[in-house]
Amino acid sequence: MTCAMKLLLAGVTVTVAIGGTFGRDADAARSGAEDRVVVRGRATLDGASFDAQYLGAAVKRHGLVTPCQHTLPRVRKGRFAIKVLARAEARGCGAAGSQIFLWTFVQDQIVYSNKSVRWPGASETARFNPAFAISAPTGGVGPIVGFAGEIFDAANRRLPPGANVEAHIGQTLCGVATTRRIDNFIGFSIDVVGPDSIPGCAIGATITFRVDGRQAQETAVNQVGQGTTLNLSLL
C-alpha cells in the first residue's frame, strides 16, 4: 500500500478498502495542533449499530467541504472517538461557524452522516450520534469529488507540509486544503464541491489549482463521484 493511497482514503476519494492514518506533522510550517477537537458518540448505519475499520471527518463552512480528520479510527458497535483538525492547523478545517460531518467506509463505499455537529471550540469535545444510510451516501455534505497527490515546484522539488492548495472553477473557489505529512509522504487531499454547495462550481467544468498563490500546470474536470490521484507541478 502506498502513502498516496493512504492519503486518498483519508481524503475520501477511493473505491476500495485501503488504510492508514495521518502521522504527526512535526515539521509542518503551521501550528494549531492544540486547537484540535474530539468528537465522540455512537453511530448507526441504516438504524443499527455497526463496526467499521475507518471513520473520518469533513468540515463544511461557507459551502466548502474539507477532509479534516487527524486519524482514521475504528467504529466498534457504533461507538467512536475521532480527532478533528482546526483551521489554525489546516486550511478549511474547524473554526467558529463550521459544521463537522462524519464519514465511514462500508460496503465498498464512502458514506457521510446525514447531519452534522457544530464546531465546539478549540480543544473542546463534542458529543454526536451520527446516522448513516447506504441509500444516501453523500449525506449532508452534497456531491463532491476528491483529488490527492504530491506537489512539486518549478525545480521539481517536493513542497513541504503547510502549503495552501486551492481548487478554482473560473474565479470561484470550490475547494481548499493544506499539504500534510503521512509517514514519509507529503501531499494534499482536497474535495471540490458542486453547484448545490457553491454557485459557480459547475459540474463538467475545468478545475484549476493554485498552491500558495502559484498556478499548477495540471487541471481536472468537476465530475461528481469518486476522485483520483493527481500530482501537481507549479509553473
Side-chain angles (χ1 to χ4, degrees), residues 17 20 31 41 47 51 82 93 100 109 123 130-131 141 156 161 164-166 168 170 174 177 187 198 211 220:
S31 61
D51 294 336
I82 184 169
C93 291
I100 304 171
Q109 66 175 324
S123 306
V141 302
N156 202 36
N164 286 324
V165 185
E166 296 181 344
H168 292 259
C174 300
I198 298 178
V211 182

Side-chain angles (χ1 to χ4, degrees), residues 64-193:
L64 296 172
V65 176
T66 304
C68 292
Q69 63 276 339
H70 177 250
T71 59
L72 292 169
R74 291 177 177 268
V75 180
R76 300 181 186 275
K77 297 182 179 179
R79 295 186 179 277
F80 68 89
I82 184 169
K83 292 182 179 180
V84 185
L85 305 182
R87 186 172 59 182
E89 186 175 10
R91 189 172 177 198
C93 291
S98 300
Q99 298 293 320
I100 304 171
F101 287 87
L102 300 184
W103 60 266
T104 190
F105 192 80
V106 291
Q107 298 185 18
D108 294 328
Q109 66 175 324
I110 297 293
V111 182
Y112 284 90
S113 61
N114 55 27
K115 293 185 179 180
S116 63
V117 63
R118 182 179 300 176
W119 180 261
S123 306
E124 298 293 331
T125 296
R127 298 282 178 174
F128 181 39
N129 296 326
F132 302 92
I134 293 295
S135 60
T138 62
V141 302
I144 56 175
V145 61
F147 302 93
E150 299 176 288
I151 304 175
F152 300 88
D153 66 14
N156 202 36
R157 296 171 299 194
R158 186 174 61 178
L159 264 63
N164 286 324
V165 185
E166 296 181 344
H168 292 259
I169 293 178
Q171 298 302 311
T172 303
L173 181 63
C174 300
V176 295
T178 299
T179 54
R180 299 182 60 211
R181 176 183 291 278
I182 303 173
D183 299 330
N184 294 322
F185 177 83
I186 300 171
F188 74 100
S189 175
I190 193 168
D191 288 337
V192 181
V193 301

Side-chain angles (χ1 to χ4, degrees), residues 25-39:
D25 296 339
D27 62 348
R30 308 183 192 283
S31 61
E34 66 278 3
D35 292 340
R36 294 172 191 160
V37 304
V38 175
V39 179

